[in-house]
Amino acid sequence: MLNFRHLYYFWVVTKEGGFARAAERLEMAVQTISAQVRELEKALGHQLLKPAGRGVALTEAGEVAFARAEAVFQIGQAIAEEVREAANHKVVRLSVGFSDGISKLAAHAMLAPILATPSLRLVCHEGEVKQLLAELAMHHLDLVLAGQSAPNSSNLRLTSERLVQSPVAWYGPVALVRKAEVAEFPKSLGRLPVLLPTSHSALRFSLDRWFETEGLRPRIVGEFEDSALMAVFAARGLGVFPVSQLGASDLALMHGLRLLGHSPGVSEEIHAIRSRRGQHHPLVMQLLDSARG
């Protein structure tokens, strides 16, 4: 069984850059800390630290151990905070992961039903689906919203459900979206400056197929991972852009945008992915019930 006190001393030595500074921080003798780190190296069977000038540096094995130690002590800090919050009954915490390709405007619209929850502490993370699912499996997240379902894996023990399949429309600034462009949509996309989601987005794949079917070659002037940022640039006159009907409910925040047209057969999907723990989180249940309704 790994001795976590030894791991902690190793972590502090690494963070401080040497045994002397670690001894100061911990108010312990240098010899004591050095002995504890040697015990850790003995238990793991590899040297973790090596001399570097007046301090120490990590070996390759030490880099792996330090990365894990960072995760362990971050979790330890989070446990203390969450226990304190639970004991005080003052904070309702919800940690949600958003995959890179998902429309942030649509995601915000999905979270709207719980935003007025008293004492809510909403923690939002963004990243690759694989990384977010790993965080979900380790219970660092309560829910992941993604443009695809969870892979079939008995190891992760996750469940996913498609909550939204929202039609896609095109919007743009008033200066670009004139009557002629609306009347000639979608052909007008061939001469208008077009903003698109990046290839991270499942929506981009659907749009590219739609362009091919319609025989369109859009003049792409910008690609964005964040749909909200794309809407901001569109509102400032850079181009026209696609957004799901769900995300369009937030476009009232973007003054000066006008509807250009719709893309039949193109939709944005949002899947809710949960661990077993997330299935019983009251806010997760509220979000899912609202989306199903």
Side-chain angles (χ1 to χ4, degrees):
M1 185 70 179
L2 184 66
N3 188 313
F4 284 91
R5 185 174 294 276
H6 295 168
L7 184 66
Y8 178 69
Y9 292 149
F10 158 72
W11 179 69
V12 173
V13 169
T14 305
K15 298 280 276 189
E16 296 295 328
F19 287 98
R21 287 191 290 273
E24 266 184 59
R25 172 174 164 179
L26 297 171
E27 298 182 350
M28 297 174 63
V30 172
Q31 294 83 353
T32 302
I33 296 174
S34 177
Q36 301 292 321
V37 172
R38 282 198 301 272
E39 286 296 320
L40 176 64
E41 291 177 323
K42 182 178 177 182
L44 295 176
H46 295 280
Q47 182 183 357
L48 304 178
L49 296 171
K50 59 186 178 183
R54 296 185 178 181
V56 293
L58 292 166
T59 63
E60 289 188 8
E63 289 178 1
V64 174
F66 179 70
R68 291 297 187 183
E70 280 269 71
V72 166
F73 295 118
Q74 284 176 8
I75 292 172
Q77 184 178 2
I79 289 172
E81 291 175 357
E82 290 175 10
V83 168
R84 184 166 56 252
E85 291 170 358
N88 292 334
H89 297 288
K90 291 181 179 179
V91 176
V92 182
R93 182 185 178 92
L94 179 67
S95 295
V96 184
F98 300 99
S99 68
D100 281 341
I102 197 173
S103 162
K104 302 308 179 296
L105 288 171
H108 176 265
M110 290 199 64
L111 292 179
I114 59 94
L115 296 181
T117 302
S119 302
L120 172 68
R121 178 177 293 179
L122 180 63
V123 181
C124 296
H125 299 266
E126 184 178 1
E128 298 280 350
V129 173
K130 185 176 180 181
Q131 169 199 346
L132 293 175
L133 295 187
E135 294 290 311
L136 184 64
M138 295 174 66
H139 307 303
H140 297 167
L141 297 173
D142 300 304
L143 177 69
V144 168
L145 296 177
Q148 62 197 67
S149 61
N152 294 322
S153 172
S154 58
N155 294 331
L156 291 177
R157 297 184 179 182
L158 303 175
T159 60
S160 65
E161 174 182 351
R162 189 178 71 184
L163 294 181
V164 171
Q165 187 172 17
S166 183
V168 167
W170 289 79
Y171 286 79
V174 174
L176 293 177
V177 183
R178 297 183 291 265
K179 287 184 179 180
E181 277 65 39
V182 174
E184 295 178 23
F185 183 85
K187 288 184 179 179
S188 55
L189 290 176
R191 59 177 181 267
L192 288 169
V194 171
L195 312 180
L196 289 176
T198 63
S199 57
H200 282 80
S201 170
L203 176 58
R204 175 61 181 271
F205 177 70
S206 299
L207 287 168
D208 285 343
R209 286 195 305 176
W210 181 71
F211 292 144
E212 185 176 348
T213 300
E214 295 290 330
L216 295 172
R217 291 188 177 181
R219 182 161 64 88
I220 302 170
V221 299
E223 298 181 66
F224 299 80
E225 288 187 358
D226 189 327
S227 60
L229 186 62
M230 183 162 59
V232 170
F233 275 86
R236 297 298 181 270
L238 185 60
V240 299
F241 72 107
V243 63
S244 69
Q245 182 176 316
L246 181 64
S249 63
D250 267 353
L251 290 180
L253 301 174
M254 304 293 178
H255 298 294
L257 289 174
R258 177 181 291 174
L259 176 65
L260 173 63
H262 295 84
S263 293
V266 180
S267 61
E268 179 177 27
E269 293 188 359
I270 297 181
H271 296 254
I273 307 174
R274 297 166 288 160
S275 65
R276 289 184 175 180
R277 187 183 77 165
Q279 292 182 23
H280 305 292
H281 194 298
L283 293 185
V284 172
M285 295 170 67
Q286 183 180 339
L287 283 173
L288 298 186
D289 288 342
S290 177
R292 292 166 185 150

